[in-house]
Every structure is written in structure tokens, then in C-alpha cells.
Amino acid sequence: AIAPITPVILITGWGSIQLAVKGMPLGAHAFINKPWSNEHLLQSVKTLIDLQDKKAEHRTRKQLDSKYNFQHIIGEDPKMLDILETIGRVAGTDASVLVMGESGTGKELIAEAIHQNSLRRNKPFIKVNLGGISTSLFESEMFGHVRGAFTDARFDRVGRFEMANKGTIFLDEIGDLDASSQVKLLRVLQDRTYEVLGSSKTKTVDVRIVCATNKDLNDMVNRTTFREDLLYRINLITVYLPALRDRPKDIPLQVDFFINNLKEIYNRPSLSVAAGAMKWLQSLPLPGNIRQLKNLVER
């Protein structure tokens, strides 16, 4: 109330996504679990101060679009505008970003927007679905391998981190990583070095990290299924994407966007949605969020 532009950090021993989701719309900028790491806390404070500009009012979608490239993100809900403003301001830094939210809320689009608005925009943007990589293939997939490193390794392979060098790597479904893979990932995130499988030569990588998950990582840390030190490496800035049902006024915008695409894809120039149908769409629970809405409209 006294100084609305002052960044607020919530610190609690009772961390959960639900609590954070309540806190963010009320003005909190970061969410840190006890016991915290001093280095992580100071880094969070420094980043928030660096990001803080002297604005007192929120920008409109038109103002944001004039400053940033958000062409693939559809929405004008105040919660979404706050998120776009945050990622626009954080994009120019190399701060690691963790995007949390239900399945289908657009976490990958947010990651792409961070890259497109960064100084790395002309360098690679490499997406990795960690939920789809088996433990046995994790090192080969992420760090590469040399010929003969294991049975069937007939050729050298370049890993995802090397592909992303000088650019951004997007680690989707990071909450699905098993314990041994978490340890291997931690090293490259801590000191930006790794070894190609089958080689003893250490390589260095210059990469920006963006992660996403629909899991409650704070709860997983409490249950010791996710490493606390790994969480501190990936969540310098955390973005909580709201469910589509929590921003119903954005549903007609999404539907119009999908319909315009479908007119071309299916060569149906007269496609439209009746007002009653639009109202019905806005009343649905949509547990699959934007992905489910897109599928429903197309069907």
C-alpha cells in the first residue's frame, strides 16, 4: 500500500503451488521455501531489484505488444498481462525461469517468448521433453556420446546442451526426472560443464535455462523426490500460469484465433462460432486448458 512498486518475496516453511498461486496475484514477485539457500535468496533479491523499473501502473496488452514480441500468446486477462510483463522484463537477463501450471496452459509458448525477447533470440532454442527420456538414455540424449561408448553407439552424437550452446534450452516436464538424472543435470546447471558419454574431456556450455512442470516441486522437495539444490538452480524467477477457466474472458479470444487458423487449414472461409456456443465454451471446466479448447474447437 505504501510503495506498490516494491518487490515482495514470500518465504514460508509451508510451501505449495496453491499458496504461491494465491500470493502472486496479490503482488508477490517470488516464492522461497524454508530452509532457504543464502546464495539463492540474495540472487533472487538482486534479480528482482535489477528487473524493477519505475512504473506504477500496469501496461495494457497493446503497450506490451509495442515493446515485446508476444504474437503467439493470446490473452488480455490481468493475470496474463502481469505474466507477460514479468517475462518481458526477465527475458533480457540470463536468469533461469521456471514455468509452472496445469497441463495445456501454454508453458512452452511462454518459454519460446522468453527466448524470442532475449539477446539470444538469433541462437538455437532447443526443446527437451524430460518425461519422454528413459534413465538409460539420459546422458546420451543430453550430453551426447562418442562412437563405441556403448553397444549400438556406431556414430558420434551431439547432445541437446551442445545443440543449445549460446542459445536457450527448454527442459519440459522437469518434475518427471528420476534421482540419478537429477544429479547429472545439477552439475551442468551449477558450473555449465559436462562430459560427453565415452569421453573424459570436459566441455563448457553457454546456455540459458527455462524449465516447466505441472508438478508441485516444493511438495516433491518435502517428500525428497526432487532435489532442493536442483530446484534452487532452476527457479530464480518462477511464473505460475493460471488455468484457462480462471480467465474466461480470454476464451473467446482463443476461439477466434483457432477459428481463423482452421478457416485456412480446412479451406472453410465461412466458419464461425455462434454467441450461444461461445457462452457454453466459457462455462466449461476445461481441465486440459488451451490444448483441450483447441482440440474441442477443431473437432
Side-chain angles (χ1 to χ4, degrees):
I2 297 166
I5 63 167
T6 305
V8 175
I9 296 177
L10 298 179
I11 301 184
T12 175
W14 303 95
S16 72
I17 283 188
Q18 288 78 11
L19 192 60
V21 167
K22 282 182 189 170
M24 295 299 165
L26 295 173
H29 294 76
F31 187 78
I32 293 174
N33 249 18
K34 293 179 184 175
W36 65 83
S37 137
N38 285 343
E39 180 195 2
H40 175 71
L41 178 60
L42 290 171
Q43 216 174 5
S44 298
V45 171
K46 182 180 184 304
T47 302
L48 288 177
I49 290 170
D50 289 346
L51 289 174
Q52 195 63 27
D53 58 25
K54 297 205 161 45
K55 62 164 193 59
E57 73 247 12
H58 293 287
R59 290 193 179 99
T60 63
R61 179 63 203 250
K62 195 173 177 182
Q63 288 171 322
L64 288 168
D65 284 339
S66 70
K67 189 170 183 184
Y68 305 113
N69 174 10
F70 292 141
Q71 61 184 34
H72 298 300
I73 299 172
I74 311 300
E76 294 180 4
D77 183 271
K79 290 191 279 288
M80 279 307 295
L81 295 186
D82 279 350
I83 287 167
L84 294 182
E85 182 142 14
T86 297
I87 66 170
R89 283 156 56 205
V90 81
T93 74
D94 268 342
S96 61
V97 181
L98 174 63
V99 188
M100 303 179 89
E102 293 179 12
S103 180
T105 45
K107 297 187 288 293
E108 186 176 318
L109 285 179
I110 294 292
E112 285 180 0
I114 291 168
H115 177 72
Q116 289 302 329
N117 289 281
S118 74
L119 301 174
R120 299 172 181 263
R121 68 179 71 89
N122 297 319
K123 301 297 182 184
F125 177 72
I126 302 297
K127 306 173 192 175
V128 189
N129 185 338
L130 295 175
I133 301 175
S134 67
T135 308
S136 57
L137 292 175
F138 180 81
E139 280 183 279
S140 168
E141 188 74 31
M142 302 305 290
F143 310 127
H145 65 247
V146 296
R147 183 180 165 193
F150 52 87
T151 311
D152 295 334
R154 297 189 184 95
F155 307 99
D156 289 357
R157 176 180 183 161
V158 176
R160 300 298 186 92
F161 272 97
E162 192 168 341
M163 287 181 196
N165 194 35
K166 303 293 182 188
T168 304
I169 191 165
F170 173 50
L171 305 176
D172 199 6
E173 307 295 356
I174 195 164
D176 291 349
L177 266 191
D178 65 280
S180 67
S181 300
Q182 288 179 34
V183 174
K184 291 163 188 168
L185 184 60
L186 182 63
R187 180 192 167 186
V188 69
L189 298 192
Q190 273 180 328
D191 52 21
R192 296 298 194 264
T193 63
Y194 65 94
E195 281 159 19
V196 173
L197 194 59
S199 165
S200 57
K201 189 179 173 186
T202 300
K203 288 194 169 189
T204 303
V205 67
D206 168 17
V207 71
R208 205 257 179 90
I209 312 288
V210 181
C211 300
T213 183
N214 56 10
K215 302 269 176 75
D216 187 334
L217 295 187
N218 289 312
D219 182 52
M220 289 177 70
V221 166
N222 292 336
R223 290 187 283 112
T224 67
T225 54
F226 196 84
R227 293 182 66 99
E228 190 172 23
D229 46 5
L230 179 56
L231 179 58
Y232 284 144
R233 289 287 163 196
I234 64 174
N235 77 341
L236 186 56
I237 297 291
T238 306
V239 173
Y240 297 89
L241 285 187
L244 193 53
R245 62 187 167 276
D246 294 334
R247 48 183 184 113
K249 287 181 181 174
D250 279 350
I251 290 176
L253 300 177
Q254 300 273 357
V255 173
D256 288 342
F257 178 76
F258 298 144
I259 288 288
N260 286 331
N261 285 343
L262 295 170
K263 282 178 182 178
E264 290 185 35
I265 294 168
Y266 291 109
N267 194 23
R268 299 274 296 279
S270 60
L271 274 182
S272 64
V273 178
M278 193 71 87
K279 200 169 179 183
W280 173 73
L281 287 169
Q282 284 181 280
S283 70
L284 297 177
L286 296 171
N289 293 291
I290 300 166
R291 192 180 291 125
Q292 182 183 359
L293 180 67
K294 181 179 185 291
N295 180 280
L296 185 59
V297 170
E298 185 165 3
R299 188 155 16 102

